[in-house]
Amino acid sequence: MTRPTTSRGPQPAGARRQHAAGQRPGGRSPRPEGRPPEGRSPRSTGRSPRPAARRRRWRQFVPPQHGAWAMLLLPYLAAVLVVGARWPHLPLLGAWLGGYLLSYYASQAVKTRRPGRFRAQLVTYAVVTAPLAALVVAVRPAVLWYAPAFAALLAVNAVYAWRRRERALGNDIALVGLSSLMIPVVATAAGVSPAAVVHVLVAVPAYSLGTVLHVKSMIRERGNRAYRWASVAYHLAAVPVAAWISLPLGAVFTLLLVRAWVLPRWGASPLRLGVLEIVLTLCVLAAVVAA
């Protein structure tokens, strides 16, 4: 006898639709070409990290304080150009920038009361800063005379960070003082008397303080008439002092006075304000070096 053949019979409508759509029985679709299996990340397939991830890591180690770089570099560059470049100025620059980054993340640790959150940044910048600073001290031990002033101003910064008031005017003034201390440090590192950079020590902090008032009147304290008039009055008083140092510097500070008077009335976006400050910083640098 022959075995009877069995017929599968008609398939259900749902099964026919799955077959037409390319799905497996049970509703599962086949894995698209190029897609890693479940449970495997793109990193395990040999792909490079996404640019967004790299940007996030970059932002973890670079503060979002764009204006701070001008405040850091202007005193250093002005003093170096006046006294003349020496080789200790190179490790001094590395220690200066590394020290700023270290102090920034230390203040963030104080502010948040979570030092472990910034451990990687603190360790990284301490490892960078310490040997460079030690090299400068070994070559020019006299720079240690400025250490108490740095420590006092950093303590002021820490107090404001602890109170979560790091945007206060008093803290900004302390930061201007910190950056201005680099002027005599540069002279001492070059083996030159700080008397050679007295005019730099007057002009650069004067510009930085005026910029603090002006930027506050434009952004954080916009519409505050007291800040606007304080900025104008400050620049009005600074013009004759700058002109006494040199006429080109007096001309630059006159331009700063016009800026303080006009821009709060007209208004400007943060981008345009930042570009203008870069140009004015270069003008101050040129006038100070030429004085």
Side-chain angles (χ1 to χ4, degrees), residues 156-200:
V156 172
N157 180 241
V159 170
Y160 277 103
W162 179 262
R163 296 177 178 177
R164 295 185 172 92
R165 296 185 59 222
E166 67 275 11
R167 299 290 186 179
L169 179 60
N171 191 51
D172 289 338
I173 294 174
L175 292 175
V176 170
L178 273 170
S179 65
S180 301
L181 276 175
M182 183 50 54
I183 297 170
V185 170
V186 166
T188 303
V192 176
S193 171
V197 291
V198 169
H199 68 289
V200 183

Side-chain angles (χ1 to χ4, degrees), residues 18-148:
Q18 289 178 353
H19 179 73
Q23 293 181 336
R24 296 175 181 175
R28 293 181 299 171
S29 301
R31 177 168 57 88
E33 185 178 356
R35 178 179 175 183
E38 294 182 4
R40 295 178 62 187
S41 64
R43 185 185 297 252
S44 64
T45 63
R47 296 180 182 178
S48 59
R50 294 180 179 180
R54 289 195 294 266
R55 287 195 297 268
R56 283 194 296 269
R57 286 197 295 270
W58 171 264
R59 290 169 183 169
Q60 287 177 350
F61 284 84
V62 178
Q65 304 289 335
H66 308 296
W69 297 106
M71 189 178 293
L72 286 169
L73 292 175
L74 177 60
Y76 173 86
L77 290 175
V80 167
L81 292 174
V82 168
V83 302
R86 310 286 198 280
W87 76 262
H89 289 153
L90 188 59
L92 178 62
L93 176 61
W96 178 231
L97 297 179
Y100 159 69
L101 294 167
L102 178 62
S103 67
Y104 174 83
Y105 288 106
S107 68
Q108 293 300 301
V110 170
K111 176 184 175 180
T112 60
R113 278 75 161 171
R114 296 174 63 185
R117 182 179 177 184
F118 303 97
R119 183 178 293 111
Q121 293 92 332
L122 295 173
V123 171
T124 299
Y125 291 124
V127 169
V128 170
T129 304
L132 293 174
L135 177 59
V136 176
V137 171
V139 176
R140 294 283 188 267
V143 297
L144 289 175
W145 285 106
Y146 306 102

